[in-house]
Structures are given as structure tokens and as C-alpha cells.
Amino acid sequence: MSGWQPVRRTRAFEDVIAQIERRIAGDGLTVGDRLPGERQLAEQLRVSRSSVREAMRVLETLGVVSSQVGRGPDAGAFLISRPADALSDLLRLHLGLSSLSLEEVVDARLMIERWSASHAAVRGADLSAMTAALERMDAATTAEEFVEHDAAFHVAIAEASGNRLTTAMMLSLRDSLRRYAVEAVERLGDTAGLMADHRRIHRAIAGGDAAEASAAVEAHLRRAYPGISLPPGGERHGSGG
Amino acid sequence: MSGWQPVRRTRAFEDVIAQIERRIAGDGLTVGDRLPGERQLAEQLRVSRSSVREAMRVLETLGVVSSQVGRGPDAGAFLISRPADALSDLLRLHLGLSSLSLEEVVDARLMIERWSASHAAVRGADLSAMTAALERMDAATTAEEFVEHDAAFHVAIAEASGNRLTTAMMLSLRDSLRRYAVEAVERLGDTAGLMADHRRIHRAIAGGDAAEASAAVEAHLRRAYPGISLPPGGERHGSGG
DNA sequence: ACCACAGTATGGTCTGACCATATTCCCCAC
DNA sequence: GTGGGGAATATGGTCAGACCATACTGTGGT
């Protein structure tokens, strides 16, 4: 006989999540709204508070809920939207488990940064954040300081692409690579090459040249991660067509 | 006065996660290995079982742990690696919260699918999975059936790119868009256009033509999601250089 | 008007119990 | 000796109830 389904024991906290999710979809529940307290939710859903709390941990991990203790309008569980935080945790753990390789992560980052720079160029993005980050990098005296503003520069590019999902991906990818960033700067010895790359990227976006922006980003990342063998042909996406 | 840090109350379950993570990084703990039981872990870490369980929920949500009840070598908590599942949950919730728009998701999917197809073409990927999916789509009689094998086709492209991270992203993006896929097929009425796109993609990858593969994927997604205004210039990433 | 303190609602943690499940062990019948 | 069946056990799943730390709220005194 076929068509059997494995008995799906639904755990209590999964039911809680499903019901909260349903209320997000159904009712107008949206970012900033407050959820009922754990005790109240437990009573309404006829589950124990522990199960409600496990559901909260999951939603918190996924970046859609945040909890504050205490009393008053700021206390309790709220709907938020922090996909990048969730993605960072995910990448960090899977990198640690070696279920994802550094090469794959760098490769994905290259994909997203090229895409972001291209889009930023085409959209005619606001360059002020990038410009400010460039100036701060020039003034930096330590590798840590440089890396901090370098991150701001790349984040500005991602945000200029106008896509919050790819921006979140880019943020989390860079976050999971941060430990390699400082050592990369220290290994290179000086930041002149990196800064030249940055200016080239900045110039290309300012000039609206998507192809040049994309190529500049690729050159920059190849310089920053010389040990990573990026796949051949990376510079040919969509060329000509 | 500056330089103050907000007092970081570390919750017990966060400590548990940190210690498990440390043992993954430090000891050789890897995928397939078994974690101590909840009671034992609680005793060793001097926390309550509830805190251990909350940590487990988080790790489970992030796709690195799976738990089975019962007794024996297959029971207990194990290290796994399912980043795509975690990503799917993340996207689904954030889409529901409208903290990500359908347009942003489709846009990101286009980025990844074009990249995957390009890489698959350059790498000279194994085409058997794609070919099989094409044949099954031809034989499909319902929209649901068609969509199922369509998914297999696109997954095969992603896997052919050789990058597990972008593959996971692609899987989860498509998963979160599945509800739109069936209605898209039904709206189009017939699948001739989609199949022509598929064959064009297949041909380009087989021929090692990255640019054509990328363009074909874009044309395909524009046909599948005509309501989504994909950003201008999407076809120009890295062109010429 | 202000300040101090009690009240209270919130999440965080712990304890201990019981249930459901699935394997392992062991004794008894054959 | 072998096979079967039930007891023992180890595991996660769930619950109830308590207590703590935190942070607002209200109240009463100055």
C-alpha cells in the first residue's frame, strides 16, 4: 500500500509558532506590534509557558521577535525585522561546522557585491555614505579601525542597491568573514591597494557604469582574499547576451 | 563620559549555545556527531534543562541540530547541516511580515539563478539531472506536477554551480515563492513558453555559454513573474568590462 | 512639584514531575 | 538453543508551579 504519511507529531511550540504566524498573515500584525505576554499566550493556546518560550526562542532566532523584561509599554515581546542577524548566526554556525567552506562564502559574497555595485550604479544611488566611509578609512590608523570603515563602505553599496534581502545577505556574509578581514589587512601590510580599489568602485558607481563597478568589486575582493580560488569566468556574467 | 558598554545580560541558553559552538570549533565535533542528552548537558553546564532545551530550539532553527526521541544510537540530538531549511523559515516569516517584498525576493532569486547558470555553463556541469527534469515536465499533466519538476530543474542548475551556499539560498528563495509558482503556471495557461525557456537555458549550459545561460534565465523569470518590475539594467551586470 | 517607596507585570530560571517513544534486556515457553 | 514477549530504561516532549531580576506605575508624604 502506498500514500502513507509518516505520523507528523507536531510539537507544542510548533503549533504556537504556526498560530502566531497565522495572526501575522491574517490580522494586520506587523513590525512594532506587541505580542501577548508569555503567561497569557500559554493560557490562550492551552499550552505550558515553556512551550510558548521555546516558540519565542525560535522566532527570536529567525529575527522576527525581540523580548524585553520589565514592565511598561516597552516590555514584552515585539515583532521586529532583523533578517541579517539571523543570517549571520546561520552562516557562522555552518562555517564552524565546515558544512560551508570559506571559498563558498567568499564566492557568494562576490556575487552579491558585484550585483549590488551594478545596481547602485544603474540606480544613480546616493553616494554620501560611501564618500564619508572613504574619508574615514583614509584617516584610520589601525587595521581594526580601517576594517570598521571598510565595512561601512561595503554596507553603503549594498544599501544603495535598494534591495533589503540582498543587503541582509551581504551584511551577514561580511559579518561571518570579519575575523578574516583584519588579518587580511595586516597581511597586505598597507592599504593603498585596497583604497585604490575603493576609489575605483566609487568612481564607477558615481559615473553610472555598472560593468566597471562590477569589475572593480571583483578586483577588490580578489586582492582581499588572494588565497581563495574564485571560480573562473566570474567576470563574464551576462556579458554581451 | 563615554566608552560605556550596556550591561550584557547573557541569558543561560545563550551560554549553552556558545559552549556547544565552542566545542564544535575546538573539539572535532562535526556533522553526524551526537550531543549529550538534555539532562546530562544541563548538569554539566549547571543550568536547568529548560535552558538547554531553549538552546536546542535555537540550534534546531538554525539547521545545525536535530533531535529524535526514544532510546538507542539513533535517539538524542545530532549535529546536522540543513542551512536551506533555516533560510526558508527565515524568508517565509519575513515575507509574511512584509519586511521583505515579493519584488526583492524575486530580484534576489534572479541574481542567484543567473549566477548559478553562468557558473554551471563555465564548469561544464553534469546535465543529466536537468535533462531528466525537462522530460518529466513534458510529461506533466497538472500545474502542480509541472511546478514540481520545474523546481527540480532549477535546483539542478543551482547544484551544478558547485556552491552549497548559493544553492541553499536558491532553494529557500524558491521555496518561499512556491505558492506563487502554481498560480503563475495557471495564469499563463500553457507551459510552452516556459519549456522553450528551459530548453534555451539547458542548451546554453550544455554549450558552455555563460552569457547566454544568464540571459536565458532572466528571460525565463521575467515570463514567470510578469507582475514584478525587475530593476532596469539587470541584464548588464559585468557586461563588457 | 518632587521624591521615595510599595505594587506589579514582564521575561528569565529552576525544580520536579509525568508522558510518549523506541530501544535494550531478560526471562520464560517451546 | 531459540524465539517471543514483556519489563526496564534512556531519550525528548510537556506541564505546573515557584522564585528572581527588571523596570515601569501608582501612591503617599514632604
Side-chain angles (χ1 to χ4, degrees), chain A residues 163-228:
Chain A
N163 187 308
R164 288 168 295 181
L165 177 53
T166 55
T167 299
M169 289 177 174
M170 151 60 193
L171 270 172
S172 49
L173 284 172
R174 196 176 197 295
D175 198 51
S176 63
L177 293 172
R178 187 172 36 198
R179 42 189 281 207
Y180 304 99
V182 173
E183 77 182 41
V185 169
E186 288 168 342
R187 174 169 30 75
L188 285 171
D190 82 317
T191 57
L194 296 174
M195 282 308 293
D197 290 342
H198 287 151
R199 293 217 167 74
R200 183 182 163 201
I201 296 169
H202 186 271
R203 200 181 317 126
I205 294 177
D209 188 340
E212 166 65 4
S214 176
V217 165
E218 171 154 7
H220 179 53
L221 287 186
R222 282 190 186 279
R223 186 198 302 272
Y225 299 102
I228 307 295

Side-chain angles (χ1 to χ4, degrees), chain A residues 118-191:
Chain A
S118 289
H119 276 243
V122 170
R123 286 164 47 97
D126 173 22
L127 292 161
S128 56
M130 292 178 223
T131 309
L134 277 182
E135 288 168 2
R136 294 201 184 95
M137 268 186 276
D138 270 332
T141 55
T142 66
E144 286 78 7
E145 203 178 338
F146 181 86
V147 165
E148 179 191 340
H149 297 119
D150 177 77
F153 179 75
H154 288 270
V155 169
I157 295 174
E159 286 177 341
S161 76
N163 187 308
R164 288 168 295 181
L165 177 53
T166 55
T167 299
M169 289 177 174
M170 151 60 193
L171 270 172
S172 49
L173 284 172
R174 196 176 197 295
D175 198 51
S176 63
L177 293 172
R178 187 172 36 198
R179 42 189 281 207
Y180 304 99
V182 173
E183 77 182 41
V185 169
E186 288 168 342
R187 174 169 30 75
L188 285 171
D190 82 317
T191 57

Side-chain angles (χ1 to χ4, degrees), chain B residues 127-203:
Chain B
L127 291 160
S128 55
M130 292 177 222
T131 309
L134 277 181
E135 288 169 2
R136 294 202 183 95
M137 269 186 275
D138 270 332
T141 55
T142 66
E144 285 79 7
E145 204 179 337
F146 181 86
V147 166
E148 178 190 341
H149 296 119
D150 177 77
F153 179 75
H154 288 270
V155 169
I157 294 174
E159 287 177 340
S161 75
N163 187 309
R164 288 168 294 181
L165 176 53
T166 55
T167 299
M169 289 177 174
M170 150 60 194
L171 271 171
S172 49
L173 285 171
R174 198 177 194 294
D175 197 51
S176 64
L177 294 171
R178 187 172 36 199
R179 42 189 281 209
Y180 305 99
V182 173
E183 77 182 40
V185 169
E186 287 169 342
R187 174 169 29 76
L188 286 172
D190 82 319
T191 58
L194 297 174
M195 282 308 293
D197 291 342
H198 287 150
R199 294 216 167 73
R200 183 181 162 201
I201 296 169
H202 185 271
R203 201 181 316 125

Side-chain angles (χ1 to χ4, degrees), chain B residues 63-107:
Chain B
V64 298
V65 156
S66 170
S67 296
Q68 282 82 35
V69 300
R71 175 178 170 167
D74 286 359
F78 285 84
L79 288 180
I80 61 174
S81 171
R82 306 188 67 87
D85 293 4
L87 267 172
S88 291
D89 290 343
L90 194 157
L91 286 177
R92 179 171 40 78
L93 278 159
H94 284 274
L95 262 175
L97 261 180
S98 303
S99 66
L100 291 175
S101 70
L102 188 56
E103 179 177 342
E104 285 167 312
V105 175
V106 170
D107 210 5

